[in-house]
Amino acid sequence: MRKFCPTCEELLICSDRNPAMGQCNGCGWHGHMGLARREPSVPTMTPKLPYVSIDIETTGLDPVSCQTLELGAVFDDWKCSIRDLPQFRRVLVHETVTGSPYAMALNANLLKLIASPDETLLFCKPADLGIQFSQWLRTNGFDPLSVQAAGKNFASFDMQFLYQLPNFKTHVRFRHRVIDPAILFWEPDDERLPDSKTCYERAGYDSKVAHTAIEDAQAVVWLVRQGIKRLG
């Protein structure tokens, strides 16, 4: 994970002579990398809009013929560090799993969990996800029938899968407009909106780590928090 200047939060450049030392080209700060910020700080002027960052894992790209395997969500009210934000995770237990070989190979570990679920709250049936997610949303002060969601391609992908689940839309509904971090990292020279890899690079987030649904939801919070400062 790259680190930020503790003064202005520009990305730090490691010294060629000593990787433990960093230099900021923004404000000129230099010092030990141990003093650097590990994640974007909460903006000084706290945004008034709380949101829920959501990511899912699926067996393919078609919400009609493929299935949702996992949902991870992080509630960001802009009040604490990313690692301390409330989280929700469920792995969906299916009797039969169908989808594309490529997607199912990527989610082999999830499929192993689904094959032998235990009695913890980590697992639920597809028909119960909406109920459990709505209860978690209420616990965190959210109206589950008017959720401000954030995510990479959430409106065109994740939401379409979730609305295919039995009774989900009865218990949870998302607002029409979604926070997609791509627009926060668009630059004038871009001929199209940046993809996830480019957003991660511009935000100083290491996209090479292996992500779960929760980690991807946390990554979107990182992008939003860092991206919102670019607007200022």
Side-chain angles (χ1 to χ4, degrees):
M1 193 76 69
R2 289 187 279 180
K3 296 183 180 180
F4 298 93
C5 172
T7 302
C8 70
E9 294 199 15
E10 288 285 330
L11 290 176
L12 290 178
I13 300 173
C14 291
S15 168
D16 292 333
R17 296 182 178 179
N18 185 355
M21 302 299 289
Q23 172 74 38
C24 175
N25 287 339
C27 67
W29 181 91
H30 64 278
H32 196 278
M33 293 293 277
L35 300 175
R37 291 187 180 274
R38 295 180 179 273
E39 66 178 53
S41 63
V42 177
T44 304
M45 294 185 63
T46 306
K48 295 181 180 180
L49 178 66
Y51 64 94
V52 181
S53 174
I54 301 172
D55 186 78
I56 64 173
E57 300 297 333
T58 70
T59 62
L61 300 177
D62 186 348
V64 176
S65 62
C66 300
Q67 295 161 298
T68 302
L69 298 176
E70 180 186 26
L71 181 144
V74 177
F75 169 62
D76 187 13
D77 60 359
W78 306 93
K79 293 180 180 178
C80 61
S81 65
I82 295 173
R83 63 183 176 275
D84 295 327
L85 294 173
Q87 300 177 3
F88 176 91
R89 184 193 180 198
R90 291 293 184 275
V91 176
L92 304 188
V93 180
H94 301 272
E95 293 184 5
T96 303
V97 178
T98 60
S100 73
Y102 178 77
M104 294 174 74
L106 286 178
N107 288 299
N109 290 334
L110 270 179
L111 293 175
K112 290 178 182 178
L113 288 177
I114 293 170
S116 302
D118 58 30
E119 298 297 324
T120 69
L121 293 177
L122 174 66
F123 298 91
C124 74
K125 297 178 180 179
D128 294 333
L129 180 63
I131 297 172
Q132 295 185 17
F133 192 32
S134 68
Q135 291 171 344
W136 178 82
L137 289 166
R138 285 194 181 94
T139 299
N140 288 286
F142 249 100
D143 177 1
L145 298 180
S146 181
V147 179
Q148 178 59 66
K152 298 168 293 181
N153 303 315
F154 179 84
S156 61
F157 186 81
D158 306 64
M159 185 167 66
Q160 306 308 314
F161 271 87
L162 294 174
Y163 280 169
Q164 288 290 328
L165 296 174
N167 303 317
F168 186 91
K169 202 170 182 178
T170 302
H171 302 283
V172 179
R173 297 179 190 173
F174 302 107
R175 294 178 185 174
H176 178 67
R177 291 182 175 85
V178 173
I179 300 172
D180 190 319
I183 191 62
L184 297 173
F185 292 92
W186 173 79
E187 295 182 353
D189 290 337
D190 293 336
E191 295 182 353
R192 63 183 64 187
L193 287 175
D195 59 16
S196 297
K197 181 177 181 295
T198 302
C199 289
Y200 286 141
E201 290 173 350
R202 291 175 181 175
Y205 190 90
D206 186 358
S207 61
K208 297 179 182 179
V209 298
H211 295 301
T212 64
I214 281 291
E215 288 171 329
D216 277 345
Q218 289 177 322
V220 168
V221 175
W222 178 294
L223 293 177
V224 172
R225 287 192 174 186
Q226 187 67 2
I228 204 74
K229 295 175 183 179
R230 293 162 61 98
L231 301 179

